[in-house]
């Protein structure tokens, strides 16, 4: 949840010799800010655009959960 990017090598079980590099980049804007420990975004039919995050300030950790944001971009406002 707090990883900015991840690289690995991918292959198909039907042809394991054919490998290709794959890289994922986290698009979560809150991870670019200081204090955020981990963040998970998602979208479901029932809950709509969602966000679960943890923020540390001094010796306390705050948890925030947002469900049914009106737009995907509104999760971060």
């Amino acid at each position: 949840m707090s990883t900015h990017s991840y690289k690995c090598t991918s292959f198909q079980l039907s042809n394991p010799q054919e490998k290709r590099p794959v890289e994922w980049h986290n698009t979560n804007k809150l991870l670019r800010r200081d204090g955020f420990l981990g963040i998970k975004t998602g979208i479901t039919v029932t809950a709509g655009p969602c966000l679960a995050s943890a923020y540390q300030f001094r010796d306390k950790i705050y948890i925030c959960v947002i469900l049914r944001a009106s737009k995907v971009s509104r999760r971060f406002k």
Side-chain angles (χ1 to χ4, degrees), residues 13-26:
L13 292 176
S14 61
N15 187 4
Q17 281 71 32
E18 187 178 319
K19 298 178 181 178
R20 65 183 178 93
V22 180
E23 185 171 2
W24 290 272
H25 296 277
N26 195 325

Side-chain angles (χ1 to χ4, degrees), residues 3-47:
T3 302
H4 292 267
S5 65
Y6 183 78
K7 295 179 184 180
C8 73
T9 302
S10 174
F11 65 91
Q12 293 182 4
L13 292 176
S14 61
N15 187 4
Q17 281 71 32
E18 187 178 319
K19 298 178 181 178
R20 65 183 178 93
V22 180
E23 185 171 2
W24 290 272
H25 296 277
N26 195 325
T27 59
N28 196 313
K29 296 173 185 178
L30 293 178
L31 282 178
R32 298 180 199 136
R33 298 182 184 177
D34 289 338
F36 283 94
L37 305 175
I39 300 160
K40 175 69 176 100
T41 60
I43 300 175
T44 68
V45 173
T46 305

